[in-house]
Amino acid sequence: MMVQIPQVLTPEQVAHCRRVFDAADWVDGKVTAGHQSAKAKQNLQLPEESPAARELSDLVLQALERNPLFISAVLPQQIFPPLFNRYDSAMKFDSHVDNAIRSSNLLRQRLRTDVSATLFLSEPDSYDGGELVVEDTYGSHAVKLAAGDMIVYPSSSLHHVMPVTRGSRLASFFWVQSMIRDTGQRALLFDLDMSIGQLTRDHPDHPSIIMLTGCYHNLLRQWAEV
């Protein structure tokens, strides 16, 4: 299940990120790659424990906590501290699957990667190439969003970043351990939650809302790992 989440960050927050990026020191992105991914990865990254990365990571986390669409789609139990990367001309990330388990020095514990997220921080007309391409049973999906918008998708998906041919592609990326491990169950809960919301807007006094909301929470109670 891929879900686009618009306006996670405001234009002012995106501009702040760009100012921090301009003054930051970048390192080889292979520092967070697994053995196999390191062979495919060509990009730059803010060091995870640098002041710049930690400031912007907190900014993104606070925005995620206020975003109901993100909460509904992901049902987060634990979020890996957001990281930040840059793809300059000719940089890319070939096809790979994200590591199943990630360790964070900031969290001081391991996290199971159920959901992957990319938060775009460059406007799409400021660079050529750089599309995130995610593969699923319905084919390949190329994603290139407005600055401040985010895509979330199952971490089990094969995906890659197309070569950048002009400009620089800036983004935040991170992983989430969901309360709902199973992708299919998570998708069903998301669809149900979206349907309840639409029914509430269209028919706020409809008696089915109470019953459907009960079904949602009883399924969540049955499936959740907390």
Side-chain angles (χ1 to χ4, degrees), residues 63 76 111 163 170 203:
L111 172 150
L170 297 160
H203 306 283

Side-chain angles (χ1 to χ4, degrees), residues 60-116:
V60 173
L61 286 172
Q62 290 168 15
L64 295 175
E65 291 173 357
R66 298 190 298 267
N67 193 296
L69 182 57
F70 170 76
I71 300 299
S72 179
V74 175
L75 292 170
Q77 181 180 38
Q78 192 169 6
I79 302 174
F80 192 96
L83 301 171
F84 301 87
N85 59 19
R86 189 179 93 198
Y87 290 80
D88 293 331
S89 183
M91 292 184 178
K92 60 178 182 174
F93 199 160
D94 292 333
S95 292
H96 64 285
V97 173
D98 290 336
N99 290 356
I101 304 295
R102 303 291 311 197
S103 297
S104 167
N105 292 332
L106 299 178
L107 289 177
R108 300 194 182 281
Q109 63 186 83
R110 292 189 294 271
L111 172 150
R112 185 187 67 243
T113 59
D114 297 320
V115 179
S116 298

Side-chain angles (χ1 to χ4, degrees), residues 46-59 82 84 106:
L46 290 186
E48 179 181 355
E49 298 187 21
S50 68
R54 297 187 73 165
E55 175 195 348
L56 298 186
S57 178
D58 288 342
L59 175 70
F84 301 87
L106 299 178

